[in-house]
Amino acid sequence: MIRKLAQSLREYKKPTILTLIFITGEVFFEVLIPFFTADLVNMIKACAASGQEATGLHDVVTQGLILVAMAIASLCCGGIAAVTCSRASAGYAKNLRYDMFSRIQSFSFENIDKFSTASLVTRMTTDINNVQFTFMMLIRMAIRSPLMFLFAVIMAFIMGGKLALTFVVVIPVLAFGLIMIGKKAMPAFRAVFKKYDRLNESVEENVRAMRVVKGFAREDYEKEKFGTASRDICKDFTKAERIVALNSPIMQLCLYFNMIFILSVGSKLIITSGGTLIDVGQISAMLTYGFQILMSLMMLSVVYVMVTMSAESARRICEVLSEEPSLSSPENAAADIPDGSIDFENVSFKYSAKAHKYALADINLHIDSGMTVGILGGTGSSKSTLVQLIPRLYDTTEGSVKVGGRDVREYDLEALRSAVAVVLQKNLLFSGTIRENLRWGNENASDEELTDACRLAQADEFVRSFPDGYDTHIEQGGTNVSGGQKQRLCIARALLKKPKILILDDSTSAVDTRTDALIRAGFREYIPETTKIIIAQRVASVQDADMIVIMDNGRIADTGRHEELLERSEIYREIYEQQTRGGEDDE
């Protein structure tokens, strides 16, 4: 896991190393200061005792200047370390976030199905923030604290001799207390992350379905559901923070015990030995070193808590980074798709290897290049699943799908998907202008090509009715245009790819029958060589197709033209009669 996360460091290795170097320098000067302070205290005492104020004052000033120089050096090292640390941690988080996003972009639908959208958002925000903060603490505190502890203990024994044995008692007590606190707090911290996922899912679901929530007047229910999830997280955090808060009293207990022991025992030694065993300067240094030792242990406990807490975040991030795309381009992949012919040969498919039931079974179908094919079937008959196998959004479980006479698994993925344009059931427009949205289909498309595609999709007229025309801003999700307008813009966007295969997955359901007919007539006239597959609920949308495929429970029930199916297909005849009797309008 550490090796996987370290790969995102890249160009920020240098500021990371510089941080470690300057932190070491900061600690070195900081630990030396009490040593020279002890000499300064003794000089002032000796000066006062001897009465040689002129000579003594010169030594005091010299020693004071040395202390000032070391304080400035420590301050400079700490300041530079802070700058390099912030640059390294922020840059590392940027790389890590980019690597996660890039990995997600390479995922197939099968990979994405393993992670919920809310979970991926939490991993790219909260989890990365936790790892970033922990990384910052590791290259600062996790280096500073052990060095401070080591140097301070050595200097304490040099300065205090047997008096430093107090740390033999204090350090194990504090270390044991901090470790126990960390162990108790960790389960609560770990539990929080899954609850964060559920909280984000609740927010995402509510925002997406806001119209439904308001339509059913369920605002109070949604607020209560969110409040319950929020209170659950608060409860876990409160429990963990309450345990971690015990750090402070344990630290204070050890600190004051150390101060009382050093002052009482040290004062007695000074009095009984006349200052030969230990002097006032050494006691002042011991107090300072004691504080540094205990603070370094305190900081190590904080680092321990953060590392343990972020370990769960790191694991969740690595799950995404380690997830191998289930679909990838083969070596020496073919990049040229000769035509839009499609063959399904003995195809069966299920969404998961653990699934017992096949979504598609025994599919055999041949579509010539340039044909218009309609697909009809009831809800759950796997119409969308069938067409998603063509651009390799999923791979077949059994059998093969061929495009242009070659198995789709032999093509370069980008080349294949560039040749297949899919307008899915859930049409999505991105925030930006209409022009920018259309150019998702072809970023180099000219204004004339944009206009032609919109005319073909029956979108040009309503686009020009907007005050800003093609520069009209689209809100996130296309909320400021109607469902029919959104569908037509998505069709125009797909046409700009100039695909060999165009798949419309119920993509004209929100337009009237006249506009639907105009779109299909435009397809026949302007893109005759493109294979057109139209999934629809209305018979009128596929009635003039070269071939109509009837799907039923994941299988092909029948294929043929409109007249043929009316004669022999009970499913098709039933759909046709229901709609021609006005059943569709009644709905």
Side-chain angles (χ1 to χ4, degrees):
M1 187 169 69
I2 293 174
R3 190 181 300 112
K4 175 69 70 175
L5 293 174
Q7 291 174 0
S8 298
L9 199 55
R10 294 194 291 275
E11 70 270 27
Y12 295 98
K13 289 180 181 177
K14 182 178 178 181
T16 301
I17 294 170
L18 287 175
T19 300
L20 303 181
I21 293 171
F22 283 106
I23 283 292
T24 303
E26 180 189 20
V27 171
F28 176 75
F29 289 114
E30 198 170 326
V31 171
L32 282 181
I33 287 174
F35 182 80
F36 283 88
T37 302
D39 286 345
L40 180 61
V41 170
N42 291 331
M43 284 181 186
I44 294 172
K45 178 184 174 184
C47 180
S50 64
Q52 297 176 352
E53 295 184 5
T55 305
L57 185 59
H58 177 270
D59 293 338
V60 168
V61 170
T62 302
Q63 192 76 354
L65 290 174
I66 293 173
L67 281 171
V68 169
M70 285 192 295
I72 292 173
S74 178
L75 180 64
C76 289
C77 287
I80 295 172
V83 172
T84 56
C85 179
S86 61
R87 185 177 300 160
S89 59
Y92 173 64
K94 177 201 73 175
N95 285 351
L96 192 57
R97 195 172 287 112
Y98 176 81
D99 291 345
M100 278 191 70
F101 187 77
S102 297
R103 175 62 66 171
I104 292 169
Q105 295 306 300
S106 71
F107 285 172
S108 67
F109 283 8
E110 181 182 342
N111 296 117
I112 292 174
D113 290 344
K114 291 180 63 175
F115 306 96
S116 70
T117 304
S119 178
L120 289 173
V121 171
T122 304
R123 291 167 200 246
M124 290 194 64
T125 52
T126 304
D127 287 337
I128 285 184
N129 287 339
N130 286 339
V131 171
Q132 176 185 353
F133 184 66
T134 302
F135 177 73
M136 181 182 68
M137 293 194 71
L138 281 174
I139 61 176
R140 289 203 70 184
M141 297 303 175
I143 298 299
R144 174 188 169 83
S145 297
L147 286 176
M148 177 68 76
F149 176 80
L150 179 63
F151 290 169
V153 167
I154 293 172
M155 293 302 295
F157 275 94
I158 291 174
M159 295 293 294
K162 292 182 179 180
L163 195 61
L165 291 175
T166 178
F167 299 120
V168 175
V169 176
V170 174
I171 290 173
V173 170
L174 181 59
F176 177 77
L178 297 178
I179 290 172
M180 291 305 297
I181 288 171
K183 284 186 175 181
K184 292 289 184 181
M186 284 317 101
F189 278 125
R190 288 195 184 102
V192 167
F193 292 102
K194 290 183 179 179
K195 294 178 181 179
Y196 260 131
D197 285 348
R198 289 196 289 271
L199 183 70
N200 285 342
E201 284 174 2
S202 175
V203 172
E204 181 191 11
E205 189 178 61
N206 179 270
V207 172
R208 284 176 180 263
M210 185 58 70
R211 288 176 175 81
V212 178
V213 173
K214 291 189 177 296
F216 284 87
R218 298 284 283 176
E219 293 92 340
D220 291 339
Y221 170 78
E222 287 294 316
K223 285 191 286 187
E224 178 58 31
K225 187 171 75 169
F226 178 84
T228 300
S230 186
R231 285 191 295 271
D232 206 13
I233 290 176
C234 179
K235 180 181 176 182
D236 280 351
F237 260 125
T238 302
K239 178 182 177 182
E241 294 292 347
R242 190 185 299 124
I243 297 170
V244 172
L246 294 174
N247 277 351
S248 183
I250 293 178
M251 172 70 184
Q252 296 294 328
L253 175 66
C254 293
L255 179 63
Y256 290 131
F257 172 82
N258 184 63
M259 288 176 62
I260 292 170
F261 182 85
I262 290 174
L263 286 173
S264 58
V265 176
S267 299
K268 183 178 179 180
L269 287 174
I270 291 175
I271 295 169
T272 55
S273 66
T276 57
L277 292 178
I278 194 169
D279 54 39
V280 176
Q282 287 174 292
I283 288 181
S284 69
M286 285 293 295
L287 289 173
T288 305
Y289 286 132
F291 181 77
Q292 289 178 342
I293 289 169
L294 297 177
M295 280 303 298
S296 63
L297 283 174
M298 181 73 172
M299 292 310 301
L300 278 174
S301 74
V302 173
V303 172
Y304 170 72
V305 170
M306 280 305 304
V307 168
T308 309
M309 185 175 72
S310 66
E312 181 65 15
S313 290
R315 184 191 64 78
R316 286 157 52 88
I317 291 170
C318 284
E319 277 184 351
V320 177
L321 293 176
S322 301
E323 178 75 10
E324 289 297 329
S326 60
L327 304 179
S328 59
S329 300
E331 292 184 14
N332 304 315
D336 180 46
I337 291 84
D339 56 50
S341 63
I342 305 167
D343 290 284
F344 289 83
E345 297 180 353
N346 303 314
V347 169
S348 294
F349 170 77
K350 55 184 177 181
Y351 284 98
S352 169
K354 298 178 181 178
H356 297 293
K357 184 179 178 182
Y358 283 90
L360 291 169
D362 303 322
I363 303 295
N364 286 280
L365 182 65
H366 173 73
I367 301 171
D368 289 326
S369 182
M371 284 181 68
T372 298
V373 177
I375 301 180
L376 287 177
T379 303
S381 59
S382 297
K383 303 183 297 294
S384 297
T385 304
L386 180 73
V387 297
Q388 286 173 358
L389 298 178
I390 297 170
R392 278 196 80 195
L393 298 180
Y394 292 100
D395 264 345
T396 61
T397 305
E398 298 174 9
S400 66
V401 177
K402 295 181 179 179
V403 170
R406 186 190 290 265
D407 194 314
V408 292
R409 288 170 290 199
E410 298 176 11
Y411 284 117
D412 176 77
L413 267 177
E414 186 175 348
L416 175 65
R417 290 173 182 172
S418 295
V420 181
V422 184
V423 184
L424 297 171
Q425 275 179 306
K426 296 180 180 179
N427 297 286
L428 181 63
L429 295 175
F430 297 89
S431 55
T433 66
I434 290 177
R435 193 185 308 276
E436 289 168 345
N437 268 277
L438 291 172
R439 284 193 169 129
W440 270 70
N442 179 2
E443 60 183 352
N444 300 315
S446 65
D447 289 344
E448 185 179 353
E449 288 175 316
L450 296 182
T451 304
D452 289 342
C454 284
R455 286 200 188 106
L456 188 55
Q458 302 301 308
D460 182 65
E461 183 178 349
F462 80 76
V463 171
R464 291 188 185 279
S465 70
F466 296 142
D468 295 325
Y470 283 85
D471 292 316
T472 299
H473 184 77
I474 298 293
E475 302 295 336
Q476 185 178 19
T479 55
N480 59 330
V481 291
S482 70
Q485 290 171 337
K486 191 188 301 184
Q487 285 187 336
R488 283 175 278 172
L489 287 173
C490 289
I491 292 171
R493 182 173 63 188
L495 290 171
L496 282 167
K497 290 180 71 174
K498 298 179 180 177
K500 288 185 169 60
I501 300 171
L502 175 64
I503 300 172
L504 303 182
D505 188 355
D506 205 15
S507 305
T508 57
S509 57
V511 301
D512 58 84
T513 53
R514 177 181 174 276
T515 303
D516 187 10
L518 289 172
I519 292 172
R520 287 183 283 110
F523 288 170
R524 286 194 300 272
E525 184 176 350
Y526 293 104
I527 52 172
E529 296 181 0
T530 298
T531 303
K532 298 161 284 289
I533 300 177
I534 303 171
I535 296 177
Q537 299 296 333
R538 294 187 296 226
V539 171
S541 296
V542 299
Q543 189 169 327
D544 56 352
D546 300 313
M547 179 171 65
I548 300 172
V549 178
I550 307 300
M551 297 290 298
D552 183 35
N553 198 26
R555 297 174 182 270
I556 294 179
D558 207 342
T559 63
R561 296 181 67 87
H562 170 68
E563 297 79 9
E564 297 170 348
L565 292 173
L566 272 180
E567 291 182 8
R568 68 168 183 258
S569 174
E570 184 178 340
I571 297 174
Y572 185 78
R573 188 165 52 250
E574 182 181 349
I575 296 171
Y576 177 75
E577 290 175 353
Q578 285 179 346
Q579 294 181 7
T580 53
R581 284 200 306 265
E584 183 182 35
D585 295 333
D586 291 341
E587 292 176 4

